[in-house]
Amino acid sequence: MESDHSALLENSLDGLHLELLHLFAHQAAALQTPLYLVGGVVRDMILGRAVNDFDLVIEGDITAFAESILKKYGGKILVHSHFGTAKWILNESTFKRLDFPISRFPDFELSFDLVSARSETYAKPGALPDVERSNIDDDLRRRDFTINAMALRLDGNHYGELIDPLGGAADLDNGIVRVIHPKSFIDDPTRIYRAVRYEGRYGFQIADETLALISDARPIIKELSAERIRHELDLILAEPNAAFMLARLAELDLLKPIHPVLFYDEAAHSRLANIGSFRALRRISPWNLDRGEGTKRVLGWLLWLMSLSHNDIGSLNLRLQFSSDFLASLFAASTMFSTLSSFVDIKPSQCVERLGLYPLNAVEAVYFIALDEKIKNVFFKYLSEWRHVKPHVTGDDLKERGLEPGPRYGEILRRLRAAWLDGEIKSKEQESTLLDELL
Ligand code: ATP
Ligand code: MG
């Protein structure tokens, strides 16, 4: 592979990003500070894939560089000089100064992450490393895989130089995920999970020598904090190919070392594999649930683990420390899953009583996996219609009719709602006749 990759930069990036990188390059050259694009962005550009986050590494004074950018182009800069990191967030004033032909400021936040080149040493396996300022070569050597350890230099005459001391481009060409040194997984076992993720995402193979390093690191997986291991599984579950990746984790015996109840069987695989991409998900669920960030990931966790018993979920939670919202959804999904057959021929009012207790994302997860048409339809009706049904009469009306406030309010309103749901009443008049009877 030729070392001048300026054409790659020009061809992979949109006008705006390219313009901004040129501006960085110019400023870095003026300060005689080597500046590089590194890691995933270089990998994805070479693969011809869309790039989103731009990680920049600087060899030199990060504060001086950040200040010079701020002075010239405005925006906002958050510098942590202690950690050697800076984030530049562009704002409208930047755009005015840039004189960039863009009709309006984009509605997403546009920012760039900048870090000082560093080397890392691991005092204790599985813990976070000690970090020291260093040069680009060390910075690439501290990384996880050769395919993630390439840099493209940006400043001045060096624009477009590929720095690839570890053979990343060749491994990328051959579709190989390879660690950089034999102690890599022992230093940081999260890399094992990352390897499986890249393998599954790009259809690559983990190198044989790299696979052979897993067994020595397996005992250290238990040292990883809940947050770190959960984060890796989160990243996997957010991938379109998540089902395949989990199957691979099971095959490589990487689930039990996290926690003995963590499994992946055929049934879990078909629950997850059928869901496919998140876009498909939007098409098949007509109801309007709040689709916040991480919805696909949360749904993935629920589909995967809903077959666990409450006991096992409780025990797994001690290891992974789920958020309380997620834990509630998982318990709910597990309850529904284990009592699924009781939803055949259930009355709408009973269904609402039962499902009304559960978080909607859990109900939706169970809807997706229900195979029996009748049961699926019950869940469908609940999500799209029944949960919205309310009587016309309100608490205020009951007060007006002289009823003492108390638990009877709830009972009466529930009774009226049930009558609507089950088709006993079909009009406002019928509702008030029923109310008269109840009072
Ligand atoms: P993705 O597309 O998954 O975001 P990425 O390469 O951008 O891929 P990040 O998790 O954003 O991955 O990390 C950025 C870079 O930091 C990686 O390319 C890699 O060089 C390095 N890196 C991340 N995690 C580790 C790790 N656990 N050990 C060593 N290097 C890492
Ligand atoms: Mg990234």
Side-chain angles (χ1 to χ4, degrees):
M1 202 166 273
E2 82 284 25
S3 141
D4 178 13
H5 283 62
S6 48
L8 182 68
L9 277 163
E10 309 292 315
N11 296 335
S12 321
L13 304 177
D14 63 39
L16 175 60
H17 281 99
L18 199 58
E19 180 79 15
L20 291 167
L21 284 190
H22 285 169
L23 164 169
F24 275 130
H26 178 79
Q27 210 60 16
L31 295 177
Q32 298 193 334
T33 308
L35 179 72
Y36 308 85
L37 213 46
V38 283
V41 50
V42 179
R43 175 198 70 217
D44 286 341
M45 276 197 302
I46 297 179
L47 285 175
R49 290 195 153 220
V51 289
N52 29 38
D53 34 73
F54 290 80
D55 292 320
L56 292 156
V57 166
I58 186 165
E59 267 177 331
D61 188 341
I62 194 165
T63 314
F65 183 75
E67 278 167 2
S68 77
I69 291 283
L70 190 67
K71 197 158 138 222
K72 211 151 171 203
Y73 301 104
K76 203 165 79 182
I77 294 215
L78 310 168
V79 187
H80 291 282
S81 46
H82 177 71
F83 296 109
T85 64
K87 187 187 197 72
W88 184 41
I89 304 163
L90 289 76
N91 61 19
E92 297 205 59
S93 92
T94 319
F95 274 76
K96 292 203 187 92
R97 294 194 212 188
L98 273 179
D99 177 33
F100 185 77
I102 182 166
S103 52
R104 66 188 173 83
F105 189 65
D107 49 12
F108 52 88
E109 183 188 276
L110 196 56
S111 67
F112 288 84
D113 286 317
L114 192 67
V115 302
S116 300
R118 64 187 53 188
S119 63
E120 291 180 348
T121 42
Y122 288 80
K124 185 172 170 292
L128 292 173
D130 300 319
V131 172
E132 218 174 294
R133 293 294 122 81
S134 186
N135 54 31
I136 188 70
D137 196 64
D138 282 345
D139 192 281
L140 295 176
R141 283 171 203 282
R142 75 176 168 88
R143 289 171 186 267
D144 47 4
F145 308 111
T146 60
I147 56 169
N148 285 344
M150 290 181 278
L152 271 175
R153 191 159 170 180
L154 298 174
D155 53 295
N157 293 335
H158 297 283
Y159 184 76
E161 263 176 38
L162 180 71
I163 321 288
D164 180 18
L166 301 159
D171 281 341
L172 207 50
D173 233 18
N174 296 317
I176 290 179
V177 181
R178 187 195 309 277
V179 290
I180 287 167
H181 59 85
K183 267 186 73 234
S184 187
F185 287 157
I186 292 181
D187 283 344
D188 178 359
T190 66
R191 292 174 185 159
I192 307 174
Y193 298 84
R194 295 176 61 86
V196 168
R197 185 158 54 89
Y198 291 120
E199 186 189 55
R201 184 198 290 172
Y202 298 120
F204 284 8
Q205 294 276 307
I206 300 175
D208 288 341
E209 310 90 278
T210 297
L211 275 179
L213 300 172
I214 293 178
S215 61
D216 280 352
R218 206 179 272 107
I220 301 165
I221 293 171
K222 65 177 185 307
E223 310 292 334
L224 290 171
S225 69
E227 195 196 349
R228 293 190 72 204
I229 192 70
R230 209 180 53 227
H231 179 64
E232 290 310 320
L233 296 173
D234 271 348
L235 292 174
I236 286 178
L237 288 163
E239 296 267 345
N241 241 349
F244 173 86
M245 296 173 192
L246 289 175
R248 182 73 164 140
L249 288 182
E251 179 185 70
L252 296 173
D253 187 18
L254 292 166
L255 292 175
K256 301 277 177 231
I258 298 174
H259 189 282
V261 308
L262 214 52
F263 70 102
Y264 195 70
D265 56 9
E266 282 295 319
H269 189 69
S270 61
R271 288 198 295 272
L272 270 153
N274 289 341
I275 266 299
S277 76
F278 188 51
R279 239 173 262 131
L281 183 74
R282 281 173 198 270
R283 274 203 304 277
I284 55 180
S285 64
W287 43 85
N288 227 351
L289 292 195
D290 174 23
R291 305 248 176 238
E293 206 206 329
T295 313
K296 160 105 182 8
R297 176 175 45 121
V298 170
L299 182 65
W301 278 103
L302 293 175
L303 294 172
W304 177 17
L305 300 180
M306 62 167 68
S307 60
L308 288 177
S309 68
H310 280 210
N311 248 337
D312 285 351
I313 293 172
S315 141
L316 182 61
N317 184 49
L318 294 177
R319 172 65 177 105
L320 292 181
Q321 296 170 20
F322 295 124
S323 74
S324 56
D325 278 355
F326 175 75
L327 191 61
S329 292
L330 184 54
F331 276 128
S334 151
T335 306
M336 286 180 272
F337 183 78
S338 62
T339 55
L340 205 52
S341 55
S342 65
F343 285 90
V344 195
D345 295 328
I346 190 174
K347 282 206 289 189
S349 61
Q350 283 175 317
C351 171
V352 170
E353 287 275 310
R354 280 177 68 185
L355 296 186
L357 301 171
Y358 301 135
L360 281 173
N361 61 0
V363 178
E364 192 184 36
V366 177
Y367 161 74
F368 284 129
I369 58 93
L371 295 175
D372 180 289
E373 277 308 313
K374 273 188 174 166
I375 296 174
K376 204 173 184 75
N377 192 46
V378 164
F379 277 74
F380 181 86
K381 287 279 198 196
Y382 171 77
L383 284 162
S384 53
E385 282 174 39
W386 296 343
R387 69 189 167 99
H388 301 297
V389 171
K390 271 200 204 108
H392 291 279
V393 169
T394 65
D396 286 342
D397 298 326
L398 296 181
K399 203 165 167 191
E400 250 169 52
R401 306 224 8 196
L403 192 70
E404 285 292 308
R408 282 222 59 207
Y409 272 51
E411 273 166 37
I412 291 176
L413 294 175
R414 263 201 306 282
R415 177 70 189 83
L416 293 176
R417 185 181 60 172
W420 277 104
L421 283 163
D422 296 341
E424 276 174 56
I425 55 176
K426 295 195 165 68
S427 67
K428 216 171 163 177
E429 292 69 41
Q430 289 175 343
E431 183 184 293
S432 73
T433 316
L434 178 58
L435 180 62
D436 290 340
E437 282 168 27
L438 292 173
L439 290 175

